Amino acid sequence: MPSTVGTDDSNMINESTETFEARVETPNETMSDDEMTEILPFSFRERIITFVIINFALFISYALYSLPGAFLPLYDLDRGISSGITGLILACVPLCYIVVCPIAGKLLDRYSSKKMLLLACGMLTVITFVCAAVGKIHNNKLFILAIIVLRLFQGACGGLIDVIAFAITTKIFPDNIALTTSIIETSLNVAVAIAPFLGGVLYTAGGFYLSFVVTAGGVALVLITSIYGVSDVNTKRDDAGGDLLGVVKQVAVWFPAWHSAACMILFNYYIPILSPYVQATFGEGPQFSGFLLMVNTAGICIAAPFLGHAMDRFNPYIFFVASSVLLPVCYWFLGPAPFLSELIGASKTQLAVVLVLIGLIVPLGCYPGLLIMYDVYKVRFGKIPQSVKNYITAIYCASFPLGGFIGSAISGLISEFLPFADATMYVSFAYFAETLLMVVFVITVYRDKRASTSDKDETKSLLS
């Protein structure tokens, strides 16, 4: 039977708060669709429609995140803008995600989740249309200033959408947090994978202007469907209280988010250095490098829903620990590492297979993170206040762009001094420090669990 994580819900009907929490927080029970409908003010159909629309919203916002990656360097080059400035423009969005996610968690305490979603989508629509017009600015200094400001606002809107989507999803599907998280992350990865290709096609067809106009139309479609299709799920602060600082002080609570970030560091680490390595070693151009990154992302997209379903049904800590061991070991075979050179040689097939395996392993460390964060808090403090849920969700959402930013940044620095095989080997050795931290984390949570179960009425941890 599935393990579930508790949820407080001020929107329920026909049942008391205590009854609802007792049913949802019991890890060996799960509610049927009819039972869930009884205590939530919207049906299973309405919850599914809401989930589909917020997935679409996330898909579009992340597509805008990576869309300029294919054409902006060429466009800036034609304008005489340096690659360093182009990198800054592209980095604006993930940096803004990191900053905005905690703020979004605080805003969810006070304002309607649906109204915030509509505001974010509306602002993103306008900003993206304005981005299309910025290309008509001939002065490079003004163009750079304008596009950076607009990309920062795009990142802010994307961060809001990210946190709102996860907060709504965990509220309406408390029994399937890992599964719904994996589906969301699949949408995001598909968006990140295909958006650069789509951006290249649009740029070839209609230049800078068309690239942003079409995507702005997509955001406008999300806005319209959200108005009529998204249920107004209550994520506001309840009487139980809770604050962000209190969550941050609990290292064991946010450690799963850090582990997600660590997995994303390795997932993004080889992206900036893969093309030069492929060209130098195999004589292949960017097309083959693009294919390798595509199969790498495809591994995540294919495995994620199945793994998410399994994480909801079995002990998610097992997947968590497995990722901390398997991921750095896979990295040894990327180069491959010098100490493996006598056993396996570098080849295109070897590289493709290893990248697929990395794509399959990364979800093991990322997708159970939110479920485990809820569980750790519940083991230590019992019921989870809604405001704490919002903060936990915000921290979890911020972990992905944080890992992506760190991974891409350090790979560029390290690759200046080390060849590909050494660069990937040394970062895998460094990652084993994360493996040791994972062991300490699991032991700590297990001890907390044993202490909490000394009272019969205490809710058991997922480790039980």
Side-chain angles (χ1 to χ4, degrees):
M1 297 295 291
S3 297
T4 62
V5 176
T7 181
D8 308 312
D9 201 314
S10 61
N11 285 331
M12 60 192 170
I13 58 176
N14 300 330
E15 265 190 286
S16 67
T17 304
E18 292 78 9
T19 304
F20 175 80
E21 290 170 348
R23 294 170 70 185
V24 180
E25 289 185 354
T26 304
N28 293 320
E29 293 182 10
T30 184
M31 290 182 289
S32 68
D33 295 335
D34 291 338
E35 289 175 322
M36 183 66 80
T37 301
E38 288 179 4
I39 58 178
L40 291 173
F42 29 81
S43 67
F44 178 74
R45 176 177 172 274
E46 290 171 322
R47 285 184 282 133
I48 289 294
I49 291 173
T50 297
F51 183 63
V52 170
I53 293 174
I54 61 177
N55 263 281
F56 184 33
L58 283 168
F59 179 89
I60 293 295
S61 68
Y62 269 76
L64 279 170
Y65 167 21
S66 61
L67 180 85
F71 66 83
L72 190 61
L74 298 176
Y75 179 79
D76 284 355
L77 185 64
D78 290 340
R79 294 188 62 136
I81 297 172
S82 70
S83 58
I85 296 296
T86 302
L88 177 63
I89 294 170
L90 294 175
C92 285
V93 173
L95 285 176
C96 208
Y97 265 71
I98 297 168
V99 174
V100 168
C101 282
I103 298 173
K106 184 67 176 178
L107 292 175
L108 281 171
D109 276 358
R110 302 181 180 183
Y111 304 105
S112 159
S113 60
K114 180 174 181 177
K115 289 180 180 178
M116 284 181 59
L117 179 64
L118 295 179
L119 176 63
C121 290
M123 290 176 59
L124 190 57
T125 302
V126 174
I127 291 165
T128 308
F129 273 121
V130 175
C131 278
V134 163
K136 299 184 182 298
I137 298 177
H138 298 293
N139 185 291
N140 277 353
K141 290 183 179 179
L142 290 178
F143 168 78
I144 293 168
L145 177 62
I147 197 67
I148 287 177
V149 170
L150 291 170
R151 290 286 286 172
L152 286 172
F153 276 108
Q154 280 185 333
C157 294
L160 282 173
I161 293 171
D162 207 7
V163 175
I164 294 166
F166 275 96
I168 289 175
T169 299
T170 56
K171 191 81 171 183
I172 61 179
F173 291 109
D175 284 339
N176 303 102
I177 290 178
L179 175 60
T180 51
T181 297
S182 68
I183 293 172
I184 288 174
E185 293 297 341
T186 299
S187 299
L188 305 187
N189 281 297
V190 170
V192 172
I194 69 172
F197 172 76
L198 177 62
V201 171
L202 293 173
Y203 183 75
T204 302
F208 187 91
Y209 179 81
L210 185 65
S211 303
F212 284 105
V213 166
V214 171
T215 48
V219 183
L221 181 60
V222 171
L223 176 62
I224 294 169
T225 55
S226 298
I227 293 172
Y228 298 102
V230 173
S231 300
D232 193 2
V233 180
N234 184 12
T235 58
K236 293 182 181 179
R237 186 183 188 90
D238 52 30
D239 295 334
D243 62 274
L244 178 60
L245 183 60
V247 175
V248 172
K249 287 180 178 179
Q250 297 297 321
V251 177
V253 174
W254 58 257
F255 177 81
W258 163 249
H259 184 66
S260 296
C263 290
M264 294 309 295
I265 289 173
L266 290 196
F267 186 66
N268 288 271
Y269 177 81
Y270 47 76
I271 293 177
I273 60 178
L274 185 64
S275 292
Y277 168 72
V278 167
Q279 187 173 31
T281 307
F282 308 116
E284 296 284 355
Q287 185 174 358
F288 182 68
S289 299
F291 167 76
L292 291 174
L293 293 175
M294 183 180 69
V295 298
N296 182 219
T297 305
I300 289 185
C301 298
I302 293 170
F306 301 102
L307 289 174
H309 182 76
M311 290 168 191
D312 278 324
R313 268 49 187 176
F314 304 104
N315 190 328
Y317 289 83
I318 295 174
F319 300 93
F320 222 43
V321 174
S323 69
S324 69
V325 176
L326 295 176
L327 196 52
V329 170
C330 270
Y331 247 66
W332 293 348
F333 294 88
L334 266 178
F339 64 85
L340 293 175
S341 58
E342 294 184 2
L343 298 176
I344 181 173
S347 70
K348 291 187 285 187
T349 302
Q350 159 262 336
L351 189 58
V353 170
V354 174
L355 288 172
V356 169
L357 289 175
I358 290 175
L360 294 174
I361 294 169
V362 165
L364 298 179
C366 293
Y367 297 167
L370 187 58
L371 181 65
I372 291 174
M373 291 172 77
Y374 284 169
D375 183 63
V376 173
Y377 189 94
K378 184 174 63 177
V379 169
R380 291 194 166 191
F381 304 104
K383 296 176 182 178
I384 312 176
Q386 183 58 51
S387 59
V388 170
K389 281 185 166 184
N390 294 339
Y391 299 141
I392 288 175
T393 302
I395 293 171
Y396 175 75
C397 291
S399 68
F400 291 90
L402 175 64
F405 175 75
I406 294 175
S408 298
I410 64 174
S411 68
L413 296 174
I414 294 175
S415 63
E416 292 184 6
F417 304 98
L418 296 172
F420 185 83
D422 289 340
T424 52
M425 178 185 68
Y426 287 132
V427 79
S428 72
F429 288 153
Y431 190 87
F432 275 112
E434 174 70 12
T435 307
L436 295 176
L437 290 175
M438 176 63 70
V439 173
V440 174
F441 167 74
V442 172
I443 292 173
T444 301
V445 175
Y446 182 70
R447 287 176 176 172
D448 288 347
K449 173 257 176 184
R450 289 182 64 113
S452 70
T453 53
S454 60
D455 186 338
K456 293 181 182 179
D457 295 330
E458 286 289 339
T459 301
K460 292 183 179 179
S461 158
L462 292 172
L463 280 173
S464 53

